[in-house]
Amino acid sequence: MSKATVKEVKSGDTLVVMGVPKGGPPPEKEIRLSSLIAPRIAMKSLTKEVADEPYGYEAREFLRKKLVGKPVEFKVDYQFQGKDYATVSFEGNSISYELLKAGFAKVKSNPNPPNAPDYEQLKATQEEAEAAKVGIFSEDAAGHVRTITWTSSNPDFAKSFVEKHKGKKLPA
């Protein structure tokens, strides 16, 4: 198992970890949780816009509050399409099981390798969350989607904002 500090939580199943600096900036690694799929969070780029999936924001925040700035242990289980998939532990507990118990992720449906070494146990934990109807398995899951208004797609907003606040100090 490798040790690192969580620098960033990109989504409910993707983390950026950093090691100890050795004569320069610390090495960073983006890892995904083995065999898990968390709901996606909203994003907008110049070419596409993606809405939140139910519990996507909650899944990311669950990990962010728990892990950012904290030491974790991880082991890369496999690589797929150039991405590293790992088992991540915090304070001796697998983060994957915690996400599944809260209903913030699903186990990928393809049981064929590559997979997490504990794939069957992950599936059993997901079944418990489904039976308890928590998180993405709850009856009101659709109500857990943020409504986001993207101001970047409205050029008039930027102009009016600048005119309104020009020369004024704004709280950071």
Side-chain angles (χ1 to χ4, degrees):
M1 284 272 219
S2 301
K3 294 184 181 191
T5 300
V6 176
K7 175 185 176 184
E8 177 184 0
V9 175
K10 290 191 164 195
S11 69
D13 57 16
T14 305
L15 312 169
V16 176
V17 295
M18 62 183 186
V20 178
K22 295 177 182 168
E28 293 183 6
K29 184 178 206 61
E30 184 172 295
I31 53 176
R32 285 151 185 78
L33 298 175
S34 291
S35 297
L36 287 197
I37 301 169
R40 298 289 155 227
I41 55 173
M43 62 82 70
K44 180 174 173 53
S45 71
L46 293 174
T47 57
K48 72 177 183 176
E49 183 175 322
V50 177
D52 267 352
E53 291 179 1
Y55 284 95
Y57 180 75
E58 287 93 336
R60 183 189 68 186
E61 288 300 290
F62 176 82
L63 289 181
R64 186 187 65 78
K65 289 176 181 175
K66 183 180 269 306
L67 298 178
V68 169
K70 306 280 177 52
V72 295
E73 292 183 335
F74 72 94
K75 179 183 181 297
V76 174
D77 298 319
Y78 59 92
Q79 292 180 324
F80 185 69
Q81 296 180 340
K83 298 174 182 174
D84 292 327
Y85 291 81
T87 299
V88 179
S89 296
F90 174 64
E91 295 179 344
N93 299 313
S94 168
I95 292 302
S96 296
Y97 289 108
E98 292 186 38
L99 275 170
L100 289 168
K101 286 176 188 173
F104 291 151
K106 291 181 184 178
V107 177
K108 74 175 190 169
S109 58
N110 183 2
N112 298 321
N115 275 325
D118 55 350
Y119 182 82
E120 293 303 321
Q121 293 166 296
L122 292 169
K123 285 293 281 181
T125 304
Q126 175 182 314
E127 289 167 7
E128 291 171 16
E130 288 175 17
K133 296 185 182 206
V134 295
I136 58 178
F137 308 110
S138 68
E139 292 172 8
D140 72 336
H144 287 268
V145 176
R146 300 176 298 164
T147 302
I148 298 175
T149 304
W150 302 101
T151 56
S152 61
S153 57
N154 180 354
D156 294 332
F157 171 81
K159 288 178 185 175
S160 66
F161 182 85
V162 170
E163 288 172 13
K164 180 179 177 182
H165 299 289
K166 189 173 184 175
K168 297 177 184 174
K169 289 186 178 183
L170 298 175

